[in-house]
mmCIF file of all heavy atoms in Angstrom:
data_model
loop_
_atom_site.group_PDB
_atom_site.id
_atom_site.type_symbol
_atom_site.label_atom_id
_atom_site.label_comp_id
_atom_site.label_asym_id
_atom_site.label_seq_id
_atom_site.Cartn_x
_atom_site.Cartn_y
_atom_site.Cartn_z
ATOM 1 N N GLU D 319 104.984 94.519 109.992
ATOM 2 C CA GLU D 319 104.365 93.622 110.920
ATOM 3 C C GLU D 319 104.545 92.160 110.491
ATOM 4 O O GLU D 319 104.895 91.307 111.289
ATOM 5 C CB GLU D 319 102.913 93.944 111.176
ATOM 6 C CG GLU D 319 102.258 93.015 112.123
ATOM 7 C CD GLU D 319 100.820 93.327 112.438
ATOM 8 O OE1 GLU D 319 100.481 94.559 112.367
ATOM 9 O OE2 GLU D 319 100.057 92.423 112.683
ATOM 10 N N GLU D 320 104.313 91.951 109.205
ATOM 11 C CA GLU D 320 104.292 90.553 108.720
ATOM 12 C C GLU D 320 105.749 90.002 108.437
ATOM 13 O O GLU D 320 105.978 88.844 108.703
ATOM 14 C CB GLU D 320 103.499 90.425 107.407
ATOM 15 C CG GLU D 320 102.038 90.747 107.611
ATOM 16 C CD GLU D 320 101.323 89.691 108.419
ATOM 17 O OE1 GLU D 320 101.741 88.542 108.431
ATOM 18 O OE2 GLU D 320 100.325 90.069 109.119
ATOM 19 N N ALA D 321 106.662 90.848 108.010
ATOM 20 C CA ALA D 321 107.983 90.366 107.618
ATOM 21 C C ALA D 321 109.050 90.737 108.621
ATOM 22 O O ALA D 321 110.076 90.027 108.662
ATOM 23 C CB ALA D 321 108.319 90.932 106.241
ATOM 24 N N GLY D 322 108.863 91.771 109.341
ATOM 25 C CA GLY D 322 109.848 92.259 110.277
ATOM 26 C C GLY D 322 110.810 93.230 109.659
ATOM 27 O O GLY D 322 111.077 93.225 108.468
ATOM 28 N N ALA D 323 111.375 94.083 110.511
ATOM 29 C CA ALA D 323 112.251 95.160 110.038
ATOM 30 C C ALA D 323 113.544 94.662 109.368
ATOM 31 O O ALA D 323 113.973 95.253 108.412
ATOM 32 C CB ALA D 323 112.530 96.044 111.226
ATOM 33 N N ALA D 324 114.070 93.592 109.839
ATOM 34 C CA ALA D 324 115.322 93.085 109.260
ATOM 35 C C ALA D 324 115.096 92.651 107.841
ATOM 36 O O ALA D 324 115.895 93.011 106.909
ATOM 37 C CB ALA D 324 115.863 91.929 110.090
ATOM 38 N N ALA D 325 114.075 91.901 107.632
ATOM 39 C CA ALA D 325 113.745 91.399 106.250
ATOM 40 C C ALA D 325 113.432 92.574 105.326
ATOM 41 O O ALA D 325 113.843 92.597 104.149
ATOM 42 C CB ALA D 325 112.644 90.414 106.233
ATOM 43 N N VAL D 326 112.709 93.538 105.805
ATOM 44 C CA VAL D 326 112.333 94.726 105.018
ATOM 45 C C VAL D 326 113.582 95.472 104.698
ATOM 46 O O VAL D 326 113.789 96.006 103.540
ATOM 47 C CB VAL D 326 111.322 95.652 105.739
ATOM 48 C CG1 VAL D 326 111.077 96.926 104.935
ATOM 49 C CG2 VAL D 326 110.025 94.849 105.907
ATOM 50 N N GLY D 327 114.529 95.554 105.582
ATOM 51 C CA GLY D 327 115.820 96.268 105.351
ATOM 52 C C GLY D 327 116.580 95.550 104.224
ATOM 53 O O GLY D 327 117.153 96.276 103.395
ATOM 54 N N ARG D 328 116.540 94.253 104.251
ATOM 55 C CA ARG D 328 117.224 93.483 103.173
ATOM 56 C C ARG D 328 116.568 93.725 101.835
ATOM 57 O O ARG D 328 117.200 93.858 100.794
ATOM 58 C CB ARG D 328 117.379 92.046 103.465
ATOM 59 C CG ARG D 328 118.322 91.685 104.665
ATOM 60 C CD ARG D 328 118.532 90.195 104.800
ATOM 61 N NE ARG D 328 117.284 89.498 105.184
ATOM 62 C CZ ARG D 328 116.848 89.341 106.407
ATOM 63 N NH1 ARG D 328 117.472 89.728 107.445
ATOM 64 N NH2 ARG D 328 115.746 88.590 106.689
ATOM 65 N N LEU D 329 115.234 93.743 101.845
ATOM 66 C CA LEU D 329 114.442 93.949 100.622
ATOM 67 C C LEU D 329 114.735 95.293 100.001
ATOM 68 O O LEU D 329 114.995 95.406 98.768
ATOM 69 C CB LEU D 329 112.966 93.796 100.855
ATOM 70 C CG LEU D 329 112.079 94.064 99.609
ATOM 71 C CD1 LEU D 329 112.264 92.976 98.628
ATOM 72 C CD2 LEU D 329 110.612 94.211 100.097
ATOM 73 N N VAL D 330 114.690 96.363 100.743
ATOM 74 C CA VAL D 330 114.894 97.687 100.232
ATOM 75 C C VAL D 330 116.321 97.914 99.770
ATOM 76 O O VAL D 330 116.602 98.685 98.846
ATOM 77 C CB VAL D 330 114.497 98.829 101.197
ATOM 78 C CG1 VAL D 330 113.026 98.734 101.578
ATOM 79 C CG2 VAL D 330 115.357 98.935 102.435
ATOM 80 N N ALA D 331 117.288 97.124 100.317
ATOM 81 C CA ALA D 331 118.685 97.234 99.847
ATOM 82 C C ALA D 331 118.851 96.603 98.521
ATOM 83 O O ALA D 331 119.694 97.038 97.729
ATOM 84 C CB ALA D 331 119.589 96.546 100.880
ATOM 85 N N GLU D 332 118.066 95.544 98.167
ATOM 86 C CA GLU D 332 118.182 94.851 96.950
ATOM 87 C C GLU D 332 116.841 94.288 96.526
ATOM 88 O O GLU D 332 116.586 93.069 96.668
ATOM 89 C CB GLU D 332 119.262 93.785 97.058
ATOM 90 C CG GLU D 332 119.641 93.181 95.724
ATOM 91 C CD GLU D 332 120.702 92.150 95.900
ATOM 92 O OE1 GLU D 332 121.084 91.757 96.977
ATOM 93 O OE2 GLU D 332 121.184 91.658 94.823
ATOM 94 N N PRO D 333 115.908 95.146 96.069
ATOM 95 C CA PRO D 333 114.524 94.711 95.763
ATOM 96 C C PRO D 333 114.428 93.542 94.793
ATOM 97 O O PRO D 333 113.572 92.707 94.917
ATOM 98 C CB PRO D 333 113.888 95.942 95.185
ATOM 99 C CG PRO D 333 114.756 97.102 95.636
ATOM 100 C CD PRO D 333 116.130 96.549 95.748
ATOM 101 N N LEU D 334 115.332 93.536 93.817
ATOM 102 C CA LEU D 334 115.198 92.504 92.800
ATOM 103 C C LEU D 334 116.213 91.352 92.977
ATOM 104 O O LEU D 334 116.437 90.498 92.117
ATOM 105 C CB LEU D 334 115.373 93.080 91.420
ATOM 106 C CG LEU D 334 114.334 94.166 91.057
ATOM 107 C CD1 LEU D 334 114.724 94.756 89.673
ATOM 108 C CD2 LEU D 334 112.962 93.645 91.083
ATOM 109 N N GLY D 335 116.796 91.312 94.185
ATOM 110 C CA GLY D 335 117.813 90.261 94.497
ATOM 111 C C GLY D 335 117.149 88.948 94.858
ATOM 112 O O GLY D 335 115.933 88.841 95.005
ATOM 113 N N GLU D 336 118.008 87.955 95.028
ATOM 114 C CA GLU D 336 117.508 86.602 95.329
ATOM 115 C C GLU D 336 117.142 86.436 96.820
ATOM 116 O O GLU D 336 116.340 85.604 97.159
ATOM 117 C CB GLU D 336 118.557 85.600 94.930
ATOM 118 C CG GLU D 336 118.819 85.513 93.476
ATOM 119 C CD GLU D 336 117.714 84.945 92.697
ATOM 120 O OE1 GLU D 336 116.978 84.001 93.199
ATOM 121 O OE2 GLU D 336 117.417 85.419 91.587
ATOM 122 N N GLY D 337 117.789 87.220 97.662
ATOM 123 C CA GLY D 337 117.694 87.032 99.096
ATOM 124 C C GLY D 337 116.282 87.119 99.686
ATOM 125 O O GLY D 337 115.896 86.348 100.566
ATOM 126 N N GLU D 338 115.469 88.049 99.251
ATOM 127 C CA GLU D 338 114.094 88.226 99.782
ATOM 128 C C GLU D 338 113.080 88.076 98.689
ATOM 129 O O GLU D 338 112.163 88.775 98.650
ATOM 130 C CB GLU D 338 114.051 89.576 100.457
ATOM 131 C CG GLU D 338 114.881 89.707 101.737
ATOM 132 C CD GLU D 338 114.508 88.804 102.849
ATOM 133 O OE1 GLU D 338 113.376 88.377 102.933
ATOM 134 O OE2 GLU D 338 115.419 88.508 103.638
ATOM 135 N N ARG D 339 113.283 87.094 97.833
ATOM 136 C CA ARG D 339 112.360 86.867 96.731
ATOM 137 C C ARG D 339 110.891 86.686 97.097
ATOM 138 O O ARG D 339 110.012 87.283 96.556
ATOM 139 C CB ARG D 339 112.833 85.671 95.843
ATOM 140 C CG ARG D 339 111.890 85.445 94.655
ATOM 141 C CD ARG D 339 112.428 84.352 93.901
ATOM 142 N NE ARG D 339 113.374 84.923 92.929
ATOM 143 C CZ ARG D 339 113.976 84.310 91.956
ATOM 144 N NH1 ARG D 339 113.750 83.032 91.821
ATOM 145 N NH2 ARG D 339 114.753 84.953 91.127
ATOM 146 N N GLU D 340 110.713 85.896 98.132
ATOM 147 C CA GLU D 340 109.314 85.670 98.580
ATOM 148 C C GLU D 340 108.679 86.894 99.140
ATOM 149 O O GLU D 340 107.514 87.236 98.892
ATOM 150 C CB GLU D 340 109.273 84.502 99.656
ATOM 151 C CG GLU D 340 107.884 84.187 100.129
ATOM 152 C CD GLU D 340 106.942 83.733 99.014
ATOM 153 O OE1 GLU D 340 107.403 83.123 98.058
ATOM 154 O OE2 GLU D 340 105.730 83.956 99.219
ATOM 155 N N LEU D 341 109.452 87.665 99.868
ATOM 156 C CA LEU D 341 108.923 88.972 100.422
ATOM 157 C C LEU D 341 108.693 89.926 99.236
ATOM 158 O O LEU D 341 107.653 90.618 99.262
ATOM 159 C CB LEU D 341 109.957 89.597 101.405
ATOM 160 C CG LEU D 341 109.567 90.895 101.972
ATOM 161 C CD1 LEU D 341 108.174 90.905 102.683
ATOM 162 C CD2 LEU D 341 110.639 91.396 102.972
ATOM 163 N N ALA D 342 109.536 89.941 98.281
ATOM 164 C CA ALA D 342 109.339 90.828 97.110
ATOM 165 C C ALA D 342 108.058 90.453 96.406
ATOM 166 O O ALA D 342 107.256 91.350 95.954
ATOM 167 C CB ALA D 342 110.554 90.714 96.118
ATOM 168 N N ARG D 343 107.805 89.156 96.206
ATOM 169 C CA ARG D 343 106.560 88.715 95.620
ATOM 170 C C ARG D 343 105.313 89.132 96.445
ATOM 171 O O ARG D 343 104.378 89.562 95.893
ATOM 172 C CB ARG D 343 106.588 87.168 95.388
ATOM 173 C CG ARG D 343 105.469 86.628 94.562
ATOM 174 C CD ARG D 343 105.252 85.108 94.737
ATOM 175 N NE ARG D 343 104.954 84.786 96.134
ATOM 176 C CZ ARG D 343 103.724 84.937 96.644
ATOM 177 N NH1 ARG D 343 102.792 85.529 96.018
ATOM 178 N NH2 ARG D 343 103.536 84.618 97.941
ATOM 179 N N ALA D 344 105.453 88.986 97.707
ATOM 180 C CA ALA D 344 104.323 89.373 98.615
ATOM 181 C C ALA D 344 104.079 90.876 98.531
ATOM 182 O O ALA D 344 102.889 91.324 98.505
ATOM 183 C CB ALA D 344 104.655 88.908 100.007
ATOM 184 N N VAL D 345 105.160 91.647 98.473
ATOM 185 C CA VAL D 345 104.966 93.167 98.392
ATOM 186 C C VAL D 345 104.338 93.536 97.116
ATOM 187 O O VAL D 345 103.423 94.330 97.036
ATOM 188 C CB VAL D 345 106.320 93.842 98.660
ATOM 189 C CG1 VAL D 345 106.236 95.314 98.312
ATOM 190 C CG2 VAL D 345 106.791 93.680 100.134
ATOM 191 N N ALA D 346 104.804 92.940 95.991
ATOM 192 C CA ALA D 346 104.200 93.233 94.697
ATOM 193 C C ALA D 346 102.721 92.844 94.698
ATOM 194 O O ALA D 346 101.856 93.591 94.180
ATOM 195 C CB ALA D 346 104.910 92.513 93.590
ATOM 196 N N GLY D 347 102.415 91.703 95.243
ATOM 197 C CA GLY D 347 101.020 91.256 95.312
ATOM 198 C C GLY D 347 100.169 92.182 96.205
ATOM 199 O O GLY D 347 99.028 92.460 95.880
ATOM 200 N N LEU D 348 100.768 92.699 97.251
ATOM 201 C CA LEU D 348 100.097 93.667 98.130
ATOM 202 C C LEU D 348 99.687 94.868 97.311
ATOM 203 O O LEU D 348 98.522 95.357 97.375
ATOM 204 C CB LEU D 348 100.997 93.972 99.279
ATOM 205 C CG LEU D 348 100.417 94.908 100.373
ATOM 206 C CD1 LEU D 348 99.196 94.328 101.025
ATOM 207 C CD2 LEU D 348 101.459 95.219 101.424
ATOM 208 N N TRP D 349 100.567 95.420 96.550
ATOM 209 C CA TRP D 349 100.311 96.637 95.753
ATOM 210 C C TRP D 349 99.285 96.316 94.665
ATOM 211 O O TRP D 349 98.370 97.096 94.390
ATOM 212 C CB TRP D 349 101.573 97.190 95.159
ATOM 213 C CG TRP D 349 102.424 97.963 96.076
ATOM 214 C CD1 TRP D 349 103.551 97.540 96.690
ATOM 215 C CD2 TRP D 349 102.138 99.270 96.680
ATOM 216 N NE1 TRP D 349 104.051 98.507 97.555
ATOM 217 C CE2 TRP D 349 103.192 99.580 97.523
ATOM 218 C CE3 TRP D 349 101.067 100.205 96.492
ATOM 219 C CZ2 TRP D 349 103.199 100.805 98.209
ATOM 220 C CZ3 TRP D 349 101.135 101.420 97.124
ATOM 221 C CH2 TRP D 349 102.223 101.656 98.027
ATOM 222 N N TYR D 350 99.432 95.197 93.995
ATOM 223 C CA TYR D 350 98.532 94.895 92.829
ATOM 224 C C TYR D 350 97.147 94.445 93.326
ATOM 225 O O TYR D 350 96.143 94.808 92.720
ATOM 226 C CB TYR D 350 99.169 93.867 91.934
ATOM 227 C CG TYR D 350 100.006 94.494 90.863
ATOM 228 C CD1 TYR D 350 101.355 94.691 91.072
ATOM 229 C CD2 TYR D 350 99.480 94.900 89.638
ATOM 230 C CE1 TYR D 350 102.160 95.284 90.140
ATOM 231 C CE2 TYR D 350 100.258 95.536 88.681
ATOM 232 C CZ TYR D 350 101.625 95.758 88.961
ATOM 233 O OH TYR D 350 102.414 96.309 87.961
ATOM 234 N N LEU D 351 97.070 93.618 94.294
ATOM 235 C CA LEU D 351 95.820 92.997 94.686
ATOM 236 C C LEU D 351 95.229 93.508 95.947
ATOM 237 O O LEU D 351 94.084 93.245 96.282
ATOM 238 C CB LEU D 351 95.972 91.487 94.740
ATOM 239 C CG LEU D 351 96.535 90.806 93.510
ATOM 240 C CD1 LEU D 351 96.847 89.335 93.743
ATOM 241 C CD2 LEU D 351 95.607 90.982 92.354
ATOM 242 N N GLY D 352 96.033 94.226 96.751
ATOM 243 C CA GLY D 352 95.546 94.711 98.019
ATOM 244 C C GLY D 352 95.436 93.629 99.083
ATOM 245 O O GLY D 352 94.769 93.804 100.082
ATOM 246 N N SER D 353 96.128 92.528 98.770
ATOM 247 C CA SER D 353 96.105 91.454 99.777
ATOM 248 C C SER D 353 97.484 90.963 100.099
ATOM 249 O O SER D 353 98.392 91.038 99.348
ATOM 250 C CB SER D 353 95.208 90.283 99.302
ATOM 251 O OG SER D 353 95.796 89.734 98.169
ATOM 252 N N TRP D 354 97.677 90.478 101.327
ATOM 253 C CA TRP D 354 98.993 89.985 101.799
ATOM 254 C C TRP D 354 98.924 88.451 101.651
ATOM 255 O O TRP D 354 98.012 87.772 102.140
ATOM 256 C CB TRP D 354 99.271 90.396 103.258
ATOM 257 C CG TRP D 354 100.543 89.883 103.698
ATOM 258 C CD1 TRP D 354 100.702 88.771 104.542
ATOM 259 C CD2 TRP D 354 101.863 90.379 103.459
ATOM 260 N NE1 TRP D 354 102.012 88.605 104.754
ATOM 261 C CE2 TRP D 354 102.767 89.540 104.142
ATOM 262 C CE3 TRP D 354 102.222 91.430 102.647
ATOM 263 C CZ2 TRP D 354 104.094 89.771 104.045
ATOM 264 C CZ3 TRP D 354 103.673 91.627 102.593
ATOM 265 C CH2 TRP D 354 104.546 90.820 103.261
ATOM 266 N N SER D 355 99.924 87.914 100.956
ATOM 267 C CA SER D 355 99.977 86.464 100.705
ATOM 268 C C SER D 355 101.474 86.014 100.730
ATOM 269 O O SER D 355 102.260 86.630 100.006
ATOM 270 C CB SER D 355 99.305 86.149 99.454
ATOM 271 O OG SER D 355 99.365 84.777 99.187
ATOM 272 N N VAL D 356 101.717 85.001 101.472
ATOM 273 C CA VAL D 356 102.997 84.381 101.403
ATOM 274 C C VAL D 356 102.827 82.950 100.994
ATOM 275 O O VAL D 356 101.706 82.414 101.093
ATOM 276 C CB VAL D 356 103.779 84.429 102.808
ATOM 277 C CG1 VAL D 356 104.171 85.906 103.091
ATOM 278 C CG2 VAL D 356 103.006 83.819 103.864
ATOM 279 N N ALA D 357 103.887 82.329 100.507
ATOM 280 C CA ALA D 357 103.818 80.946 100.018
ATOM 281 C C ALA D 357 103.081 80.021 101.040
ATOM 282 O O ALA D 357 103.523 80.006 102.179
ATOM 283 C CB ALA D 357 105.130 80.431 99.611
ATOM 284 N N GLY D 358 102.133 79.334 100.593
ATOM 285 C CA GLY D 358 101.417 78.359 101.463
ATOM 286 C C GLY D 358 100.418 78.972 102.368
ATOM 287 O O GLY D 358 99.681 78.244 103.007
ATOM 288 N N GLY D 359 100.299 80.286 102.407
ATOM 289 C CA GLY D 359 99.316 80.955 103.250
ATOM 290 C C GLY D 359 98.067 81.334 102.519
ATOM 291 O O GLY D 359 98.026 81.313 101.270
ATOM 292 N N VAL D 360 97.076 81.651 103.255
ATOM 293 C CA VAL D 360 95.799 82.149 102.682
ATOM 294 C C VAL D 360 95.923 83.646 102.471
ATOM 295 O O VAL D 360 96.274 84.348 103.469
ATOM 296 C CB VAL D 360 94.661 81.785 103.615
ATOM 297 C CG1 VAL D 360 93.341 82.377 103.059
ATOM 298 C CG2 VAL D 360 94.537 80.297 103.820
ATOM 299 N N PRO D 361 95.648 84.124 101.266
ATOM 300 C CA PRO D 361 95.721 85.642 101.088
ATOM 301 C C PRO D 361 94.747 86.300 101.992
ATOM 302 O O PRO D 361 93.544 85.869 102.091
ATOM 303 C CB PRO D 361 95.361 85.789 99.592
ATOM 304 C CG PRO D 361 95.530 84.438 98.999
ATOM 305 C CD PRO D 361 95.289 83.411 100.068
ATOM 306 N N VAL D 362 95.144 87.457 102.490
ATOM 307 C CA VAL D 362 94.280 88.249 103.357
ATOM 308 C C VAL D 362 94.198 89.664 102.736
ATOM 309 O O VAL D 362 95.144 90.323 102.561
ATOM 310 C CB VAL D 362 94.874 88.300 104.762
ATOM 311 C CG1 VAL D 362 94.036 89.286 105.661
ATOM 312 C CG2 VAL D 362 95.050 86.966 105.411
ATOM 313 N N VAL D 363 92.944 90.039 102.414
ATOM 314 C CA VAL D 363 92.747 91.413 101.850
ATOM 315 C C VAL D 363 92.868 92.385 103.008
ATOM 316 O O VAL D 363 92.255 92.229 104.064
ATOM 317 C CB VAL D 363 91.319 91.493 101.244
ATOM 318 C CG1 VAL D 363 91.062 92.957 100.786
ATOM 319 C CG2 VAL D 363 91.165 90.563 100.066
ATOM 320 N N VAL D 364 93.760 93.343 102.817
ATOM 321 C CA VAL D 364 94.121 94.296 103.869
ATOM 322 C C VAL D 364 92.874 95.134 104.256
ATOM 323 O O VAL D 364 92.584 95.303 105.484
ATOM 324 C CB VAL D 364 95.259 95.236 103.430
ATOM 325 C CG1 VAL D 364 95.488 96.334 104.438
ATOM 326 C CG2 VAL D 364 96.498 94.337 103.199
ATOM 327 N N SER D 365 92.110 95.628 103.249
ATOM 328 C CA SER D 365 90.887 96.385 103.577
ATOM 329 C C SER D 365 90.191 96.568 102.278
ATOM 330 O O SER D 365 90.640 96.222 101.206
ATOM 331 C CB SER D 365 91.308 97.806 104.126
ATOM 332 O OG SER D 365 91.922 98.558 103.115
ATOM 333 N N SER D 366 88.886 97.067 102.375
ATOM 334 C CA SER D 366 88.130 97.302 101.133
ATOM 335 C C SER D 366 88.804 98.369 100.298
ATOM 336 O O SER D 366 88.852 98.343 99.098
ATOM 337 C CB SER D 366 86.715 97.693 101.487
ATOM 338 O OG SER D 366 86.663 98.841 102.270
ATOM 339 N N ALA D 367 89.407 99.321 100.979
ATOM 340 C CA ALA D 367 90.193 100.400 100.214
ATOM 341 C C ALA D 367 91.387 99.768 99.529
ATOM 342 O O ALA D 367 91.685 100.235 98.331
ATOM 343 C CB ALA D 367 90.710 101.492 101.230
ATOM 344 N N ALA D 368 92.071 98.874 100.104
ATOM 345 C CA ALA D 368 93.199 98.174 99.421
ATOM 346 C C ALA D 368 92.715 97.476 98.188
ATOM 347 O O ALA D 368 93.348 97.475 97.119
ATOM 348 C CB ALA D 368 93.861 97.225 100.377
ATOM 349 N N TYR D 369 91.583 96.791 98.288
ATOM 350 C CA TYR D 369 91.033 96.096 97.063
ATOM 351 C C TYR D 369 90.741 97.097 96.012
ATOM 352 O O TYR D 369 91.105 96.951 94.882
ATOM 353 C CB TYR D 369 89.752 95.315 97.504
ATOM 354 C CG TYR D 369 88.961 94.816 96.342
ATOM 355 C CD1 TYR D 369 89.403 93.720 95.598
ATOM 356 C CD2 TYR D 369 87.784 95.424 96.038
ATOM 357 C CE1 TYR D 369 88.645 93.271 94.605
ATOM 358 C CE2 TYR D 369 87.007 94.986 94.966
ATOM 359 C CZ TYR D 369 87.492 93.918 94.212
ATOM 360 O OH TYR D 369 86.751 93.455 93.165
ATOM 361 N N GLU D 370 90.051 98.182 96.384
ATOM 362 C CA GLU D 370 89.659 99.183 95.409
ATOM 363 C C GLU D 370 90.817 99.893 94.757
ATOM 364 O O GLU D 370 90.783 100.243 93.574
ATOM 365 C CB GLU D 370 88.755 100.269 96.127
ATOM 366 C CG GLU D 370 88.284 101.365 95.233
ATOM 367 C CD GLU D 370 87.473 102.340 95.982
ATOM 368 O OE1 GLU D 370 87.036 102.104 97.170
ATOM 369 O OE2 GLU D 370 87.141 103.403 95.457
#
Side-chain angles (χ1 to χ4, degrees):
E319 181 177 326
E320 295 294 331
V326 174
R328 290 189 297 272
L329 177 69
V330 300
E332 192 178 5
L334 301 177
E336 295 291 323
E338 295 296 334
R339 179 176 274 185
E340 181 60 28
L341 177 57
R343 189 195 62 74
V345 169
L348 183 61
W349 283 105
Y350 272 91
L351 305 174
S353 65
W354 179 258
S355 177
V356 293
V360 176
V362 176
V363 176
V364 172
S365 67
S366 59
Y369 168 73
E370 179 181 350

